[in-house]
Amino acid sequence: MDDTKDFGTPKINSEKLVALTIDGIDISVPEGTSLMRAASEAGISVPKLCATDNLDPFGSCRLCLVEIEGRRGYPASCTTPVAEGLKVSTQTPKLEDLRRGVMELYISDHPLDCLTCATNGDCELQDMAGAVGLRDVRYGYEGENHLDSVKDETNPYFTFDPSKCIVCSRCVRACEEVQGTYALTIDGRGFESKVSAGNKDFMDSECVSCGACVQACPTATLIEKSIVDHGIPDRSVTTTCAYCGVGCSFNAELQGDKVVRMTPNKDGGANHGHSCVKGRFAWGYTTHKDRITTPMIRKSIKDPWQQVTWDEAINYAASEIKRIQKKHGFDSVGAISSSRCTNEETYLMQKIVRAAFGNNNIDTCARVCHSPTGYGLKQTIGESSGTQNFDSVMKSDVIILIGANPTDGHPVFASQMKRRLREGAKLIVIDPREIDLVKNTPHVKADFHLKLKPGTNVAIINAIAHVVATEKMMDEKFIKSRCEDEAYNYWHDFVSEERNSPEALESETGVQAETIRQAARLFAKGGNGAIYYGLGVTEHSQGSTMVMGIANLAMATGNIGREGVGINPLRGQNNVQGACDMGSFPHEFPGYRHVSDLSTRALFENAWDTKLYDEPGLRIPNMLDQAISGNFKAVYCEGEDIAQSDPDTKHVTHALESMECVIVQDLFLNETAMYAHVFFPGSSFLEKNGTFTNAERRISRVRKVMAPKNGYEDWEITAMLSNALGYPMNYKHASEIMDEIAMLTPTFKGVSFDKIDELGSIQWPCNDENPQGTPTMHVDEFVRGKGKFFITEYIPTTERVNNKYPLILTTGRILAHYNVGAQTRRTDNIIWHDEDQIEIHPHDANDRGIKVGDWVGINSRAGDTVLRAKITDQVQPGVIYTTFHHPVSGANVITTDNSDWATNCPEFKVTAVQVTKVSQPSEWQKNYKNFSEKQKEFVKEDSEKVM
Ligand code: SF4
Ligand code: SF4
Ligand code: SF4
Ligand code: FES
């Protein structure tokens, strides 16, 4: 698929067609299309500089002039729309003359260094000079010019060289229209006009390094440093970002085997050619010096690592698993897979556990993020997934955003949402913290910010539902035809009770009743209402209850089953949806079918040629508890770092220390690997084939762009281990694994690598009824038939503040980093966030004598740690906030083992704490530092020996 053709102006979606003639060719295009695009679609290319097809036309460069029969002058084809019967000429001697004149002016003020310029051969200005036949510049090069302008090299990933700027303003418009950050302007007028990042250098400006301006720039003014260093690419492979649940499609552009640029793919269904700083720039970790590429084993975590061959490592791991099962029972081993893995890897992880280990002890990191989404949505609407595609937001009139911070966590979707908000959609933010979309985003302001106390989500959703029910704002017709009567009536009576009114719950939630009432009215009456939510919903003791509360509200207001509405969980990691789909929970086979179900088991037993166990296996917290009590002895962990990402770190590391064999498969010696006995080096997303499924159920290809540095794709390693355990897995390519998934999973029946290659991506369900996939779910009926309302009784968390722990700690992510930070910390993104800090309200800081930058001790019932203070009123009094991207921060040393009642998802978002000014790191931090330094030495010692 060629996504590189630039049609000059955006595609217009109009049913009405207009017929015209361009250069003698009869053309018919949608009304509103520009002459430039109409010509381009017919294969006629009109020279252009200021136009590009992801930006509105601007009409400043005057290179795209055309002649129209019967009209005077030479209109710009980018800003002139088609009209019925027009006869347009794009190539006449007069036009050629005019265009050459325009180009002469540009080139006379441009450095004549094409041959040594990094983008020589990949520069639109150079191309256009050629296209208009410019050979010489009549004005000479001696006039007033900008050639001495100073370069801005402050951004780690791109340079800005104003001497090459033609002031076409594509960068400014990209920053506004595509990214929505408005960091750039054109300062001055005429000859004096220049691009400015608010009169600051890029690093100090509002720029968030998304790179949209770099991509839009038609010259070498804004250019990736990787291109300056290595030159332009000679080939490209389309693949999918391995960071967040947006699932942006990219063209990995290479010179030989070296990636020199990641360019977002215009045909990407989730990103439409946009990206954030992580996907576009933060891929350097794949070649970072810390990467381990040779398998290692050791008897004890007190021993140095010993580098071994793949055969030795695999055989050692297999013999340990067999030994342990023989001694401690078949149930004493298990595996933890990760949402960072491909679908195919995840599928094999659950298969090795069920078929080769012979139990169901498989769990995934979705346990600690979106397991309540799976549970809550399955119960209410019958399918454990979001209901829409991202583009649906462009038809939303009111958006409720709960416990999510898209500008940091899901930046490309945030840009799309911001676009819709700038068009006039209303926004209701429900979050204890003032996220940027509340009022710190240009041209976007939340209509309501329900700044609730952490832990009171369910009270808020009940209060909103109370207003909807008692003020009779339900969509009765929808409820009657689409939902179970009896359950609805129970629910209606329940939420109508006075104790669920905003007034009754005001002191609990901390949100004024009238604000809740107005927000509820806006949502119920404001047109298409869509609900987006994140981990601020799920990571609570009532995470599953809240997800059901969200589904109740969507059903009650009829906001489900069409574009512009729906329930939209924003998934944290790239393949959270896929990890859940692929059966990596201990109670479910792929496709969310319970292990106790006879017919499902028979299907898998037949296909896998083995007997399968019918009892649900251990969840991660159970594995850890059982390890400490001596019953769980070995774990195979792929791509997941439980020692950093799971709550109550001391409990996790104690459990790991208690096991006899910890096998870690990863790129780096992560925190969990420090407690491991076998290390299988993993392959990066650039080195393997597979698929990821994003937050919209979109299955996209991950394509191998280079050979794995460790020798094998990750799925091959799992297959080798399985073979060594005596259960054969003989796939020759990742596509064969997907074929098996499709054969055994009804919602994936029509999915194959070939089909994804053909369609670009597919949103499941993809089967006989929906051969092209399903962008919007539950259109005519719910997957479970009728939608079911559930009672959502608000039960306050047991994690309450008291005199000893008077503040609530809540956590979140930052744009520059991804989850545990293992990848992003090994890129230049570290410049933006080299430590986690504690955000504290000025009032709470003042009470405790804490000043900006002070070391602050944070104590909870689980433990204590020390971070530097950031004083801000983005958090409310009584609440403190931190990110968790650096292991030394010990954010999870203080989180407790409280968890969601239904799924055990940890209550990361509510920890009662006290903070005090301190002068040194915590004991845990000191111990951690010593331990991790020692562990790193254990790797180094051996690699030095080998070399
Ligand atoms: S990198 Fe993105 S945010 Fe920064 S100036 Fe360019 S478009 Fe704007
Ligand atoms: S920096 Fe590039 S995109 Fe921006 S005005 Fe200059 S030439 Fe145009
Ligand atoms: S991190 Fe997320 S938003 Fe950023 S490029 Fe990757 S998938 Fe897209
Ligand atoms: S491309 Fe039309 S005026 Fe610049």
Side-chain angles (χ1 to χ4, degrees):
M1 213 178 290
D2 177 21
D3 78 307
T4 52
K5 178 162 176 167
D6 186 347
F7 293 89
T9 63
K11 185 175 170 42
I12 300 291
N13 292 317
S14 167
E15 307 234 310
K16 186 163 173 213
L17 294 181
V18 170
L20 71 161
T21 308
I22 302 181
D23 292 346
I25 301 175
D26 291 332
I27 295 169
S28 184
V29 290
E31 186 178 34
T33 303
S34 71
L35 289 178
M36 174 178 280
R37 182 161 188 123
S40 186
E41 285 182 6
I44 301 164
S45 83
V46 182
K48 63 179 185 58
L49 276 173
C50 69
T52 185
D53 61 10
N54 67 341
L55 300 176
D56 290 341
F58 193 58
S60 70
C61 76
R62 310 293 297 160
L63 203 61
C64 67
L65 310 180
V66 291
E67 290 181 39
I68 302 175
E69 197 176 288
R71 287 198 195 173
R72 288 173 52 182
Y74 306 95
S77 62
C78 62
T79 51
T80 308
V82 292
E84 192 65 34
L86 287 189
K87 288 194 167 45
V88 182
S89 299
T90 70
Q91 316 290 340
T92 66
K94 180 64 190 170
L95 290 172
E96 282 165 16
D97 202 37
L98 287 170
R99 287 178 188 146
R100 262 197 304 276
V102 170
M103 279 307 294
E104 269 185 282
L105 282 170
Y106 280 128
I107 299 298
S108 66
D109 187 9
H110 196 83
L112 295 175
D113 61 355
C114 281
L115 290 181
T116 52
C117 177
T119 59
N120 184 21
D122 184 22
C123 168
E124 289 182 47
L125 187 68
Q126 193 181 38
D127 291 348
M128 289 305 123
V132 304
L134 187 72
R135 288 202 174 71
D136 203 7
V137 173
R138 284 168 295 174
Y139 315 112
Y141 301 99
E142 308 306 323
E144 210 180 348
N145 58 44
H146 299 87
L147 302 181
D148 292 334
S149 308
V150 181
K151 267 192 197 178
D152 178 349
E153 300 265 19
T154 55
N155 186 288
Y157 296 118
F158 59 83
T159 67
F160 173 60
D161 179 358
S163 73
K164 296 187 170 171
C165 181
I166 58 170
V167 202
C168 66
S169 109
R170 270 163 67 161
C171 54
V172 178
R173 289 178 286 138
C175 192
E176 293 175 0
E177 294 172 29
V178 179
Q179 165 57 25
T181 291
Y182 294 75
L184 303 177
T185 52
I186 302 282
D187 274 358
R189 296 173 70 87
F191 181 78
E192 298 300 325
S193 57
K194 60 175 199 288
V195 172
S196 159
N199 286 320
K200 295 175 180 158
D201 58 39
F202 269 84
M203 244 347 238
D204 293 332
S205 74
E206 297 297 313
C207 169
V208 293
S209 279
C210 72
C213 56
V214 181
Q215 188 176 338
C217 183
T219 66
T221 312
L222 281 162
I223 179 177
E224 295 89 351
K225 287 183 176 169
S226 55
I227 294 289
V228 176
D229 291 345
H230 305 295
I232 57 175
D234 52 34
R235 68 184 178 101
S236 120
V237 180
T238 302
T239 190
T240 305
C241 178
Y243 281 120
C244 88
V246 177
C248 296
S249 175
F250 276 89
N251 293 329
E253 299 184 306
L254 298 104
Q255 255 184 11
D257 236 8
K258 184 172 196 57
V259 175
V260 294
R261 179 165 63 192
M262 293 289 280
T263 302
N265 175 11
K266 268 175 25 181
D267 290 332
N271 59 322
H272 306 298
H274 190 35
S275 74
C276 80
V277 59
K278 295 189 283 291
R280 192 191 294 261
F281 294 123
W283 35 271
Y285 71 88
T286 57
T287 50
H288 193 275
K289 62 175 177 41
D290 287 353
R291 195 160 155 200
I292 298 172
T293 53
T294 309
M296 306 186 298
I297 58 173
R298 60 179 174 178
K299 284 272 180 241
S300 147
I301 67 167
K302 296 195 181 93
D303 295 337
W305 285 101
Q306 187 194 340
Q307 292 190 345
V308 292
T309 64
W310 270 109
D311 274 353
E312 285 170 300
I314 294 283
N315 289 332
Y316 179 73
S319 67
E320 278 295 275
I321 290 169
K322 284 190 203 161
R323 177 187 67 77
I324 289 168
Q325 283 194 299
K326 200 163 170 207
K327 186 166 162 207
H328 300 282
F330 80 106
D331 217 15
S332 58
V333 302
I336 300 172
S337 137
S338 167
S339 301
R340 288 162 57 193
C341 301
T342 62
N343 285 319
E344 293 70 16
E345 290 155 16
T346 312
Y347 177 85
L348 287 203
M349 282 296 278
Q350 58 90 35
K351 184 171 176 178
I352 196 176
V353 169
R354 302 188 204 282
F357 293 5
N359 60 44
N360 287 316
N361 293 338
I362 173 73
D363 209 359
T364 169
C365 61
R367 168 75 49 219
V368 298
C369 70
H370 266 286
S371 49
T373 290
Y375 181 83
L377 296 185
K378 181 92 181 169
Q379 296 291 312
T380 47
I381 58 175
E383 193 58 274
S384 303
S385 64
T387 60
Q388 313 295 122
N389 61 5
F390 288 136
D391 287 351
S392 163
V393 77
M394 298 312 287
K395 294 194 174 154
S396 300
D397 300 307
V398 187
I399 296 165
I400 296 190
L401 185 60
I402 316 175
N405 183 9
T407 50
D408 282 72
H410 303 87
V412 165
F413 173 65
S415 290
Q416 193 171 24
M417 185 186 269
K418 286 190 281 184
R419 224 169 11 255
R420 182 62 190 150
L421 293 169
R422 291 198 302 274
E423 288 174 359
K426 306 290 183 198
L427 177 64
I428 299 164
V429 173
I430 303 179
D431 202 296
R433 190 166 163 269
E434 189 182 283
I435 59 167
D436 283 349
L437 284 173
V438 171
K439 61 176 194 240
N440 293 326
T441 300
H443 308 289
V444 169
K445 189 168 182 305
D447 296 84
F448 295 101
H449 178 200
L450 311 188
K451 206 170 182 177
L452 76 176
K453 290 184 196 161
T456 62
N457 281 337
V458 173
I460 284 275
I461 207 82
N462 285 348
I464 293 174
H466 176 90
V467 180
V468 171
T470 54
E471 296 189 11
K472 306 214 178 318
M473 295 188 288
M474 293 84 72
D475 185 336
E476 299 281 4
K477 197 169 148 216
F478 181 91
I479 295 165
K480 206 158 183 43
S481 62
R482 300 283 309 267
C483 304
E484 283 184 14
D485 266 354
E486 198 181 323
Y488 167 69
N489 291 334
Y490 275 135
W491 174 81
H492 184 272
D493 291 348
F494 162 73
V495 292
S496 301
E497 288 174 34
E498 183 51 31
R499 67 195 176 94
N500 284 321
S501 70
E503 290 72 16
L505 290 165
E506 191 174 282
S507 63
E508 191 65 24
T509 62
V511 183
Q512 278 191 343
E514 186 50 27
T515 312
I516 296 181
R517 284 193 177 273
Q518 288 182 19
R521 287 174 198 137
L522 175 64
F523 183 70
K525 292 282 169 206
N528 280 344
I531 305 174
Y532 291 84
Y533 71 87
L535 302 184
V537 159
T538 53
E539 291 176 344
H540 286 273
S541 60
Q542 281 204 289
S544 292
T545 315
M546 182 60 182
V547 172
M548 293 193 280
I550 288 171
N552 290 340
L553 182 63
M555 291 189 289
T557 52
N559 278 310
I560 200 155
R562 61 181 190 280
E563 285 186 289
V565 299
I567 304 163
N568 303 275
L570 294 170
R571 311 293 190 147
Q573 305 199 73
N574 48 336
N575 201 33
V576 179
Q577 181 67 57
C580 300
D581 301 340
M582 290 301 107
S584 46
F585 286 128
H587 64 292
E588 287 173 339
F589 285 110
Y592 304 99
R593 288 162 296 169
H594 204 275
V595 291
S596 63
D597 183 71
L598 253 179
S599 61
T600 305
R601 248 191 1 267
L603 176 76
F604 281 90
E605 284 178 344
N606 195 26
W608 292 354
D609 194 18
T610 188
K611 193 92 192 112
L612 295 171
Y613 191 51
D614 60 354
E615 290 277 330
L618 298 173
R619 297 171 172 183
I620 297 171
N622 309 131
M623 291 182 200
L624 300 175
D625 291 345
Q626 294 281 316
I628 289 170
S629 60
N631 302 320
F632 187 78
K633 291 291 182 184
V635 69
Y636 170 28
C637 239
E638 182 184 345
E640 182 53 9
D641 193 1
I642 53 170
Q644 191 183 342
S645 64
D646 283 36
D648 200 350
T649 307
K650 286 193 250 176
H651 179 72
V652 177
T653 52
H654 181 195
L656 288 168
E657 280 170 333
S658 308
M659 294 187 212
E660 291 178 13
C661 181
V662 174
I663 305 164
V664 169
Q665 184 168 324
D666 210 297
L667 299 179
F668 305 106
L669 189 82
N670 63 20
E671 303 308 307
T672 309
M674 294 186 187
Y675 295 86
H677 308 89
V678 179
F679 186 88
F680 294 153
S683 50
S684 79
F685 79 111
L686 295 170
E687 300 161 4
K688 59 189 172 193
N689 283 303
T691 54
F692 291 148
T693 307
N694 76 352
E696 351 150 78
R697 294 170 279 104
R698 185 183 299 282
I699 310 161
S700 303
R701 274 298 311 277
V702 178
R703 292 188 180 83
K704 187 163 160 178
V705 307
M706 57 176 71
K709 295 196 185 312
N710 56 330
Y712 292 101
E713 300 182 38
D714 282 291
W715 64 265
E716 294 179 285
I717 299 164
T718 308
M720 289 192 293
L721 180 60
S722 187
N723 288 329
L725 284 165
Y727 180 78
M729 286 192 191
N730 296 313
Y731 308 98
K732 293 189 180 55
H733 191 271
S735 62
E736 294 179 8
I737 306 173
M738 179 51 86
D739 292 342
E740 183 173 314
I741 296 166
M743 182 182 77
L744 294 167
T745 315
T747 43
F748 278 67
K749 189 171 174 212
V751 180
S752 67
F753 278 26
D754 286 348
K755 182 89 169 270
I756 302 173
D757 289 348
E758 181 196 327
L759 298 179
S761 59
I762 302 172
Q763 284 179 268
W764 67 257
C766 174
N767 43 29
D768 295 343
E769 299 85 66
N770 308 287
Q772 309 281 310
T774 312
T776 309
M777 290 190 77
H778 314 288
V779 174
D780 297 316
E781 63 169 0
F782 288 102
V783 170
R784 71 186 297 283
K786 295 246 175 179
K788 185 167 182 186
F789 283 81
F790 274 76
I791 300 295
T792 53
E793 192 74 61
Y794 167 59
I795 299 166
T797 168
T798 53
E799 185 65 10
R800 305 289 277 181
V801 293
N802 59 17
N803 281 345
K804 193 167 175 204
Y805 302 111
L807 304 174
I808 291 283
L809 167 76
T810 188
T811 58
R813 318 206 301 213
I814 200 157
L815 173 67
H817 285 301
Y818 164 74
N819 211 30
V820 295
Q823 292 129 301
T824 45
R825 280 186 278 110
R826 292 181 170 96
T827 70
D828 283 336
N829 279 25
I830 198 77
I831 292 171
W832 285 286
H833 185 86
D834 59 359
E835 63 174 355
D836 295 314
Q837 298 186 334
I838 197 82
E839 288 187 8
I840 181 166
H841 189 271
H843 173 79
D844 292 326
N846 207 21
D847 274 358
R848 293 163 175 81
I850 294 168
K851 301 210 172 45
V852 176
D854 280 351
W855 286 112
V856 173
I858 307 145
N859 307 284
S860 75
R861 294 177 178 99
D864 62 305
T865 195
V866 173
L867 295 172
R868 234 182 258 282
K870 178 180 172 190
I871 298 175
T872 168
D873 58 10
Q874 270 193 289
V875 288
Q876 54 184 294
V879 176
I880 62 170
Y881 168 87
T882 187
T883 49
F884 48 84
H885 303 302
H886 294 264
V888 72
S889 305
N892 281 330
V893 174
I894 41 183
T895 50
T896 67
D897 59 3
N898 267 15
S899 65
D900 174 46
W901 61 271
T903 65
N904 273 151
C905 181
E907 191 173 38
F908 281 132
K909 301 297 180 188
V910 190
T911 309
V913 294
Q914 175 59 295
V915 300
T916 43
K917 195 169 153 174
V918 295
S919 55
Q920 54 176 332
S922 70
E923 271 315 295
W924 180 88
Q925 283 168 313
K926 287 183 207 159
N927 291 340
Y928 166 79
K929 240 175 146 212
N930 292 337
F931 177 74
S932 66
E933 269 161 24
K934 187 81 200 151
Q935 289 297 326
K936 284 175 198 156
E937 286 299 314
F938 284 164
V939 177
K940 237 191 270 165
E941 279 173 28
D942 197 62
S943 34
E944 276 159 13
K945 247 189 289 164
V946 168
M947 285 184 322

